[in-house]
Amino acid sequence: MFAVRSLVGLVLSGVLLVAGCSSPAPPPPVPSAAARVSSVPAPVSSSVASSVAREPVTVVLDPGHNGGNARRPDVINAPVPAGRGETKPCNTTGTATDRGYAEHAFNWDVAQRVGSLLEAQGVRVVYTRADDTGVGPCVNERAAIGNRAGAAAVVSIHADGATSAGARGFHVAYSAPPLNAAQGAPSVELAEAVRSGLLAGDFPLSNYLGSDGLAPRDDLAGLNLSERPAVLVECGNMRNAAEAATMSSVDGRARYATAIASGVVAFLREHAGF
Ligand code: ZN
């Protein structure tokens, strides 16, 4: 990792700065005004930077729940390790909008869209489940997938089902107090980056959970068991009519995906040598 950082530093200190890898601006990279007056064509230098400076970076996307969970309570209710000496059910069915649009379907769709956006930027994407019709995997296995993949970032995607219709907005959860180094500053930084992406996408901060869109949690198994920087995004409240409408629309899900992907990419650039 240090070698990668050094290489990136060397590249960024030179003329390839126009590649935009160190720019705080969200993707896609747009040459700055300074870059435009440079004699180096931005598209060429961008592709050079991609091939020279970047090593494969893996992001694990974890769409919460699964479409087949409801038909196998025997499987998903089985207790599994949840970290901090606790156990939890293997998995749950998730929530739904009042009109019946299921959370697992929302999570799956947004995760696929986030993954496509990340892959288009050269990120290797691993999903914790292969489709939206299966059962599980259990929350401890989802964490293990991120750990085995050596993920630079793990992002679980969910939507909440708060009973108060006035409850709205997103929040990003991370493990606290941290159980290992990755759950410390790296996970907080990932949470902050995803929050920034969602704010830039005009999604409102939660008015009912967390503080300023961030929620330190000690009870989420996937976060407790992660050895990689990991967050869980609750995109909004499916029981709130306005948010349900957004989540139920293709355009809305595309907006969520763009916002989350931009946050993840910003984190990778800032903290993972991407
Ligand atoms: Zn959920």
Side-chain angles (χ1 to χ4, degrees):
M1 184 54 70
F2 292 112
V4 173
R5 286 180 183 277
S6 301
L7 179 54
V8 172
L10 282 173
V11 171
L12 294 183
S13 66
V15 68
L16 293 180
L17 184 60
V18 294
C21 285
S22 66
S23 165
V30 176
S32 66
R36 290 197 192 94
V37 301
S38 158
S39 61
V40 180
V44 172
S45 59
S46 179
S47 94
V48 169
S50 297
S51 60
V52 172
R54 291 183 182 178
E55 285 192 351
V57 169
T58 300
V59 168
V60 168
L61 296 176
D62 174 36
H65 318 284
N66 203 337
N69 282 4
R71 69 171 185 269
R72 291 301 304 274
D74 56 319
V75 173
I76 67 165
N77 289 336
V80 298
R84 305 184 198 272
E86 304 289 330
T87 62
K88 271 200 162 184
C90 158
N91 213 199
T92 53
T93 57
T95 188
T97 68
D98 288 345
R99 291 188 163 193
Y101 181 53
E103 184 202 344
H104 64 77
F106 170 80
N107 299 338
W108 172 254
D109 186 275
V110 172
Q112 294 295 304
R113 293 173 188 277
V114 172
S116 295
L117 292 168
L118 294 178
E119 286 172 343
Q121 299 212 35
V123 175
R124 173 178 172 256
V125 176
V126 174
Y127 297 93
T128 57
R129 55 182 168 104
D131 53 46
D132 194 39
T133 57
V135 179
C138 299
V139 282
N140 59 326
E141 172 59 16
R142 292 177 191 243
I145 290 169
N147 296 341
R148 286 197 298 267
V154 179
V155 181
S156 294
I157 297 171
H158 286 252
D160 204 5
T163 50
S164 166
R168 66 190 290 261
F170 75 85
H171 66 274
V172 186
Y174 58 91
S175 173
L179 298 170
N180 55 48
Q183 292 179 16
S187 291
V188 175
E189 289 157 354
L190 177 58
E192 291 172 343
V194 172
R195 174 181 63 178
S196 294
L198 285 161
L199 284 174
D202 282 336
F203 292 103
L205 294 169
S206 172
N207 64 3
Y208 68 102
L209 266 178
S211 174
D212 280 338
L214 298 183
R217 296 277 295 263
D218 65 5
D219 61 327
L220 296 175
L223 301 180
N224 285 343
L225 298 171
S226 183
E227 297 162 4
R228 314 299 306 172
V231 297
L232 186 151
V233 186
E234 290 281 10
C235 291
N237 179 14
M238 295 193 102
R239 312 303 291 275
N240 173 278
E243 294 198 310
T246 301
M247 293 174 180
S248 301
S249 76
V250 169
D251 283 354
R253 294 193 294 273
R255 283 181 52 223
Y256 273 113
T258 298
I260 293 168
S262 74
V264 171
V265 168
F267 170 80
L268 296 177
R269 287 181 175 159
E270 191 74 21
H271 301 287
F274 182 65

